[in-house]
Amino acid sequence: MTSAASSPSSAGTPGERVAPPPADLVARLRAAGCVFAEDEAVLLVAAARDAHRGTPGVDPGHDGPLEALVERRVAGEPLETVLGWVAFAGLRLGVGPGVFVPRRRTELLARTAVRLARAAGPSPVVVEACCGVAPVASLVAHDVPGADVHAADLDPVAVGWAARNLAGRGHVWTGDLLDPVPARLRGSVHVLVANAPYVPRAAIATMPPEARDHEPHVTLDGGPDGVDVQRRLLALAPTWVRPGGWVLIETSRGQAELTRAACPDGWTVDVLRDDDVDGTVVTARRPT
């Protein structure tokens, strides 16, 4: 059993010195199938202590808060939602039960959005559709001062986490694709970006239990070939993206050509790949 987003060893604080976790806790996590049991145990112990730091008389040990966290993890809940956060591109983003946990592969999408937003000028308009907890919008808001950042998602629970992660540095909207985004932005978006669901429907059953049993299927299900939601969003791009602007879509290596084929006619299309994070992104630029 791996974590939903990444090896938990990438989620800690670089250089942080921590005491070895209890051996029985490591054994329990390993028996439950946690591949990185030692790293997870360290993080769970720290989370239990942080939750009750400064509370006299509270024992964060096995009969207290730590036990509750361990029970959730052993039952298969993603480590990140048990902890309440996920490491993403140098940020610590809040997550909770019932939301899609950002994967490390999406860092390619986020870094590309930051690069293109910076190149667009002093006040770029960036919209993250199907935002979930808004990992891309949060990185843009953090790294591109002056950007006009918007994030939209169909799920009110995810939108609540997106608002927390953006912390007032952007606008968050609830609704399908771009329906809730203010109409005044039509034709003015510099970067439209999305990690829209792209798992072929039949493949969901083969996903790790952390995903298929604990993340909403609407965040995974891309239709029969995995590209249905992408096609719907890309069909809207000419209405929203300004001349010279971009649309960025995360996809998989195997589906990249399907995503490319769904891009608007006449746009310049490319496929980006980062093997270090196993990320694939299709970029399409509207002609000027």
Side-chain angles (χ1 to χ4, degrees):
M1 183 166 61
T2 60
S3 62
S6 63
S7 160
S9 62
S10 67
T13 301
E16 183 180 6
R17 302 181 65 180
V18 294
D24 59 334
L25 172 56
V26 173
R28 188 175 172 191
L29 292 170
R30 187 177 290 117
C34 298
V35 177
F36 304 101
E38 292 86 354
D39 293 332
E40 292 198 15
V42 169
L43 293 171
L44 290 167
V45 169
R49 288 175 177 165
D50 289 347
H52 291 277
R53 181 168 291 166
T55 304
V58 173
D59 177 11
H62 286 206
D63 295 327
L66 178 59
E67 176 61 21
L69 298 180
V70 173
E71 286 181 355
R72 290 168 60 190
R73 181 58 180 142
V74 168
E77 184 177 337
L79 174 66
E80 295 81 7
T81 60
V82 173
L83 297 175
W85 60 270
V86 59
F88 182 83
L91 303 179
R92 181 177 284 201
L93 302 177
V95 294
V99 302
F100 180 85
V101 177
R103 274 55 162 173
R104 189 170 177 227
R105 67 176 68 97
T106 303
E107 292 183 7
L108 174 61
L109 184 72
R111 293 196 310 267
T112 305
V114 166
R115 173 172 58 84
L116 296 176
R118 284 174 172 165
S123 301
V125 177
V126 179
V127 176
E128 182 181 10
C130 304
C131 71
V133 303
V136 178
S138 295
L139 188 66
V140 172
H142 182 271
D143 286 2
V144 189
D148 182 11
V149 178
H150 298 259
D153 198 278
L154 186 64
D155 179 16
V157 175
V159 167
W161 284 104
R164 288 182 58 179
N165 288 326
L166 279 168
R169 298 169 299 171
H171 309 277
V172 183
W173 312 98
T174 306
D176 183 44
L177 296 181
L178 300 177
D179 286 353
V181 178
R184 61 179 173 80
L185 296 183
R186 289 178 182 168
S188 65
V189 175
H190 293 84
V191 182
L192 172 61
V193 57
N195 178 15
Y198 60 87
V199 179
R201 185 168 297 147
I204 294 176
T206 69
M207 296 183 72
E210 288 95 333
R212 71 168 187 264
D213 296 338
H214 292 274
E215 294 179 322
H217 279 203
V218 70
T219 68
L220 308 172
D221 188 351
D225 65 357
V227 190
D228 279 3
V229 183
Q230 294 179 354
R231 290 190 182 99
R232 291 179 55 219
L233 180 62
L234 286 163
L236 298 173
T239 300
W240 290 87
V241 176
R242 66 189 298 128
W246 298 82
V247 59
L248 313 176
I249 304 290
E250 180 174 313
T251 188
S252 69
R253 187 197 295 264
Q255 292 164 283
E257 289 307 311
L258 290 174
T259 305
R260 175 196 284 268
C263 291
D265 291 339
W267 292 35
T268 302
V269 182
D270 198 4
V271 178
L272 307 180
R273 176 71 191 170
D274 185 340
D275 290 330
D276 288 341
V277 299
D278 191 28
T280 305
V281 171
V282 169
T283 71
R285 189 178 194 187
R286 183 173 183 174
T288 56

